[in-house]
Amino acid sequence: MLITFNFEVHQPHRLNKSIDKEGRTLWEKYVDTKLNKEIFNKVANKCYIPTNELMLELIDEYNFKVNYSITGVFIEQALEFNDYVLDLFKDLVKTGNVELIGETYHHSLSSLFESEEEFIEEIEMHKKLYNEIFGFKPKIFRNTELIYNNRIAKIAKDLGFKAIFTEGIEKILGWRSPNYLYQSPDGMKILLRNYRLSDDIGFRFSARDWDQYPLMADKYAMWLASTPGDVINIYMDYETFGEHHWKETGIFEFLRYLPIEIAKYEHLEVVNVSEVVERVEPRGEIYVHEFATISWADTERDVSAWLGNKMQRISFEKLKDIGRFIKENADKLKKLGKFEEIYKMYKVLQISDNFYYQSIKGLSDMSVHNYFSHFDTPFDAYASYLNILYDFEYYIKELLAKSEISKNNDKTSNDNTPPSRKEIDKKNLSKESPVKSDIIVASNDIKDAESIYNQDGKEDKDKDDKDSLIIA
């Protein structure tokens, strides 16, 4: 039995709760750099640094193997706020026992866009970053939050990946086990997360009301050893160690002794994910239509964590509209020297966390959403995000309008014909308001969503007694 330990490493660029009108750049106006630095360094001290140092010890002493999917936005923050964290990840990769898994650069929902262009661009950006920072070319791909369907698998296969990760959920498996390798209709190999054994650590480890508490390394190794199949894929947030479960819970001692306990079972072998693909044959086909897209998030294990209510869908559609507008005017924005700044902000606004904060599900899932959000309520997250979207759009339109006015003024200065009174009035009006504001529309969208927030929140509350809380 092969065992893989896989960890998602991600920190979003959290947005300001209100637009900073004094900001000199789009980044200063929209991104809360102070908060991001504070959170990154807090988690670095509690999780990234001690866990990475422990992983280096385990690799040195027990030849332990581990796999990481590290988002581009995490790497950006490590470079800016705490380069020692990044140095530790570099040291881990250099051991040869660590494999990096491909991701979307901005941990985005680009795989759900109608066009493949945005998704492919995100993946290629991430591959380039891995090469620049770690000198590593990923062979295995995992989409944001394990979002998966047949189309996503085909795109990843066409980009040269050997396999893709997703959730080993019953609705795609039926009677089958997640502890085997499968393949998509296009022949892409599929690695499935064993969510029960993953969540035993990721979610239930410090739950004192759990009937298996406390979880010790020897008990967990015994569970692994008694599980049938070809491969067990354990996948969780890296922040499990020290942040989700504090040091005082014994999580680091658990990790320290886990390789020792696993080694007691001769049929267990901890490997890197690419080794699974090379050594194990697929046992069947997994078919997931686009309308049945799955993920590892929330009880439903679908995309409702990000697009399950009207607020989220309004935000998502508006973001896509702005993206199309930016691309249509790319040449003009490049001539103005503003394209790179604008396009980067558009990418930051794609980060999936922005939509996750807007979820209004019942308490069973809501407590998880609230844990990660820096907003007081999902409605606050929506109002803030939508205001930034409309302000961002207005900024771009105003920039293009002023450029067009300047161009027309240059033409007029070369014409000796005196302008008419009507032309002068039109010119003055353009100076005052080069583009009509859409802030009224934003206000209407927010008011419209208020009733949705209250209505959906009440409906979801009725499910609380039936749902079980699962962190993903």
Side-chain angles (χ1 to χ4, degrees):
M1 170 71 80
L2 303 181
I3 312 291
T4 69
F5 289 96
N6 312 275
F7 302 102
E8 178 191 44
V9 187
H10 170 62
Q11 285 294 333
H13 288 303
R14 295 166 187 81
L15 302 178
N16 284 323
K17 292 183 177 180
S18 58
I19 297 168
D20 183 356
K21 298 295 184 181
E22 303 300 318
R24 295 168 295 176
T25 64
L26 292 176
W27 193 273
E28 291 177 357
K29 287 177 67 177
Y30 303 146
V31 178
D32 195 336
T33 301
K34 181 180 178 182
L35 178 63
N36 289 324
K37 182 177 181 179
E38 177 185 321
I39 292 176
F40 189 93
N41 285 323
K42 181 196 74 169
V43 182
N45 291 328
K46 294 178 68 176
C47 169
Y48 304 134
I49 293 173
T51 312
N52 281 358
E53 290 175 341
L54 178 55
M55 286 294 186
L56 286 168
E57 291 178 25
L58 298 180
I59 290 171
D60 184 54
E61 295 177 21
Y62 308 108
N63 199 33
F64 195 61
K65 293 186 177 182
V66 67
N67 312 277
Y68 295 105
S69 52
I70 310 175
T71 66
V73 289
F74 176 91
I75 294 173
E76 287 179 353
Q77 291 185 67
L79 286 167
E80 183 178 1
F81 304 140
N82 198 321
D83 54 5
Y84 180 60
V85 169
L86 194 58
D87 288 340
L88 286 172
F89 277 112
K90 289 178 182 178
D91 291 341
L92 283 164
V93 174
K94 287 176 184 176
T95 65
N97 281 31
V98 168
E99 181 169 352
L100 298 180
I101 300 169
E103 253 261 19
T104 54
Y105 187 106
H106 292 90
H107 203 63
S108 71
L109 300 179
S110 56
S111 61
L112 303 179
F113 283 26
E114 290 79 5
S115 170
E116 298 176 1
E117 176 188 352
E118 198 83 46
F119 185 42
I120 293 172
E121 183 180 60
E122 280 281 295
I123 296 170
E124 294 295 352
M125 283 177 66
H126 192 250
K127 287 167 69 174
K128 182 181 177 182
L129 184 67
Y130 266 0
N131 184 54
E132 291 174 352
I133 300 296
F134 302 107
F136 192 96
K137 182 179 180 180
K139 298 177 183 177
I140 312 299
F141 180 72
R142 65 147 273 162
N143 192 21
T144 303
E145 304 296 317
L146 297 190
I147 293 173
Y148 176 88
N149 58 41
N150 297 336
R151 173 177 176 254
I152 291 169
K154 184 179 186 305
I155 293 172
K157 185 174 185 290
D158 291 344
L159 291 176
F161 290 100
K162 303 300 181 185
I164 185 170
F165 258 108
T166 192
E167 183 78 332
I169 189 70
E170 287 81 0
K171 63 184 174 183
I172 66 168
L173 284 169
W175 56 269
R176 296 175 294 180
S177 166
N179 304 321
Y180 294 94
L181 189 67
Y182 294 92
Q183 64 182 9
S184 72
D186 292 297
M188 181 61 154
K189 293 180 179 179
I190 304 172
L191 295 151
L192 296 178
R193 172 183 182 256
N194 186 311
Y195 71 84
R196 289 191 177 89
L197 287 169
S198 297
D199 290 342
D200 284 339
I201 304 173
F203 170 54
R204 288 179 282 275
F205 182 83
S206 60
R208 292 180 176 271
D209 58 348
W210 180 33
D211 61 2
Q212 296 299 321
Y213 178 87
L215 180 59
M216 303 298 217
D218 58 345
K219 181 194 292 187
Y220 192 77
M222 181 184 67
W223 291 351
L224 295 175
S226 60
T227 301
D230 291 336
V231 57
I232 301 174
N233 296 304
I234 306 300
Y235 217 136
M236 67 192 80
D237 291 343
Y238 201 39
E239 296 79 14
T240 294
F241 302 101
E243 172 62 16
H244 300 340
H245 302 297
W246 291 5
K247 178 182 177 181
E248 292 75 13
T249 65
I251 190 69
F252 288 111
E253 284 72 20
F254 171 85
L255 179 58
R256 184 181 300 279
Y257 287 101
L258 189 58
I260 301 172
E261 296 300 330
I262 290 175
K264 292 179 180 179
Y265 299 91
E266 293 183 358
H267 69 291
L268 296 183
E269 182 183 358
V270 178
V271 300
N272 292 127
V273 283
S274 59
E275 294 180 71
V276 176
V277 176
E278 293 165 1
R279 295 167 55 179
V280 177
E281 289 298 318
R283 290 296 189 98
E285 182 178 289
I286 298 292
Y287 187 93
V288 182
H289 194 276
E290 287 180 49
F291 293 112
T293 300
I294 62 170
S295 76
W296 75 352
D298 292 353
T299 308
E300 295 87 350
R301 301 301 212 286
D302 55 18
V303 297
S304 61
W306 307 277
L307 300 174
N309 65 58
K310 189 171 182 179
M311 294 188 296
Q312 293 169 312
R313 292 190 291 273
I314 288 173
S315 298
F316 191 57
E317 292 304 318
K318 186 61 184 176
L319 175 67
K320 290 190 292 183
D321 287 343
I322 292 174
R324 285 188 286 267
F325 182 74
I326 291 171
K327 290 175 181 179
E328 288 168 3
N329 292 277
D331 290 339
K332 294 178 182 178
L333 293 171
K334 286 176 183 177
K335 288 179 181 178
L336 294 170
K338 292 290 185 178
F339 179 78
E340 287 189 10
E341 181 189 16
I342 288 171
Y343 200 65
K344 176 59 181 176
M345 185 51 57
Y346 164 61
K347 288 290 189 181
V348 168
L349 291 170
Q350 285 188 38
I351 294 173
S352 61
D353 304 66
N354 294 319
F355 305 94
Y356 190 81
Y357 302 149
Q358 299 176 33
S359 176
I360 52 175
K361 292 187 177 185
L363 291 176
S364 60
D365 287 319
M366 190 52 131
S367 60
V368 184
H369 287 258
N370 288 342
Y371 173 82
F372 290 103
S373 179
H374 60 294
F375 292 96
D376 294 331
T377 69
F379 180 73
D380 291 334
Y382 169 70
S384 176
Y385 185 72
L386 207 65
N387 280 334
I388 287 176
L389 283 183
Y390 278 102
D391 189 83
F392 183 47
E393 181 185 45
Y394 183 79
Y395 168 80
I396 299 168
K397 288 182 177 180
E398 185 179 46
L399 193 68
L400 292 170
K402 285 181 177 179
S403 173
E404 194 64 31
I405 292 170
S406 178
K407 188 193 299 183
N408 292 336
N409 286 343
D410 290 342
K411 288 181 180 179
T412 304
S413 64
N414 294 326
D415 186 358
N416 293 325
T417 306
S420 65
R421 180 66 189 175
K422 186 176 181 180
E423 289 172 332
I424 292 172
D425 290 343
K426 185 177 180 181
K427 180 178 174 182
N428 290 335
L429 182 62
S430 297
K431 283 183 179 178
E432 292 173 6
S433 180
V435 59
K436 185 177 180 180
S437 173
D438 288 327
I439 301 302
I440 294 176
V441 180
S443 177
N444 290 338
D445 283 341
I446 292 171
K447 289 177 181 177
D448 187 29
E450 253 184 317
S451 59
I452 302 295
Y453 171 60
N454 294 326
Q455 179 182 345
D456 287 3
K458 184 179 184 300
E459 291 174 356
D460 283 339
K461 188 177 180 182
D462 296 337
K463 301 195 313 182
D464 292 342
D465 293 336
K466 299 178 182 179
D467 292 343
S468 60
L469 177 60
I470 299 173
I471 289 185

